[in-house]
Amino acid sequence: MEGVPHANTNLRRTPVQQRSAERLARILDACAELLDETGYEQLSTRAVAVRAGVPIGSVYRFFSNKRSLADALARRNLDSYAERISARLTAIEPADWRGAIDAVLDEYLAMKRSVPGFALVDFGAPAPDEDPADDANQRVAGRLTELLAGQLGRDADDDLLRAILVCVEAADALLKLAFRSDPSGDGAIVDETRELIHAYLARRLD
């Protein structure tokens, strides 16, 4: 997965030059690969440096520890997710909120099945977040609210944000269940998740 994090406040230093940005991307790519191979507990900044082909000092230039490294990967994942959804929404009629919601769900499933490291670090690092106000699902709901408000011609107000947050929390729990029982995602549980979200939002968006 290419690219660099979007407004990543957890970086020790924000890359300015292209060469520095490319090095940061290599570090995050290496982190993602190692997560799939070793898991989060065995992940180390030194192993990431070796895999990325950079000095350990280059990793510490951007990250204080593996938690901040995984968090940066999660934020990059969220940026990529938002970009992929935006691309899908261009082909969906503004009035078709179900189509928009399906795009949101389908892009998550596609990333879950294909993006390195995503199974362990989707939009938040595995370790508990130190700041409850910066919860991963809150960040996801905020980005989705902006995207869907623009698509549907609605205000990104507190009511819409609350409804999207409820959907994100529900989908998060149910899709964890779907992928716990099937590495590719249990299709029946995915279908139930989609139906539940459609039914919940119908009262608010129809």
Side-chain angles (χ1 to χ4, degrees), residues 93-157:
E93 292 294 326
D96 183 13
W97 67 261
R98 288 176 177 80
I101 293 300
D102 285 343
V104 168
L105 181 58
D106 290 342
E107 284 303 329
Y108 178 83
L109 293 170
M111 291 182 73
K112 188 84 168 175
R113 292 164 179 156
S114 65
V115 173
F118 198 84
L120 284 179
V121 173
D122 47 16
F123 307 125
D129 202 315
E130 296 175 0
D131 180 5
D134 195 33
D135 174 75
N137 282 347
Q138 293 274 0
R139 291 200 302 268
V140 174
R143 293 291 285 276
L144 291 180
T145 299
E146 292 174 8
L147 288 170
L148 292 171
Q151 172 72 10
L152 303 174
R154 297 172 57 99
D155 291 331
D157 55 23

Side-chain angles (χ1 to χ4, degrees), residues 10-31:
N10 280 15
L11 287 179
R12 278 181 157 180
R13 181 178 300 180
T14 301
V16 177
Q17 297 181 343
Q18 180 67 21
R19 181 179 176 184
S20 181
E22 289 172 352
R23 178 169 289 189
L24 173 58
R26 284 210 312 276
I27 291 170
L28 292 179
D29 289 341
C31 175

Side-chain angles (χ1 to χ4, degrees), residues 32-107:
E33 292 171 4
L34 287 169
L35 281 168
D36 281 341
E37 294 172 18
T38 69
Y40 181 75
E41 292 303 320
Q42 299 302 315
L43 182 72
S44 72
T45 51
R46 184 166 298 279
V48 169
V50 170
R51 176 64 61 89
V54 303
I56 186 66
S58 292
V59 175
Y60 285 122
R61 181 182 176 209
F62 295 113
F63 307 106
S64 57
N65 52 39
K66 72 175 184 180
R67 163 69 199 220
S68 61
L69 181 56
D71 191 61
L73 178 63
R75 290 169 186 265
R76 188 176 76 164
N77 285 341
L78 180 53
D79 287 338
S80 177
Y81 182 51
E83 290 168 4
R84 291 168 68 143
I85 291 170
S86 293
R88 284 280 298 270
L89 291 179
T90 60
I92 298 173
E93 292 294 326
D96 183 13
W97 67 261
R98 288 176 177 80
I101 293 300
D102 285 343
V104 168
L105 181 58
D106 290 342
E107 284 303 329

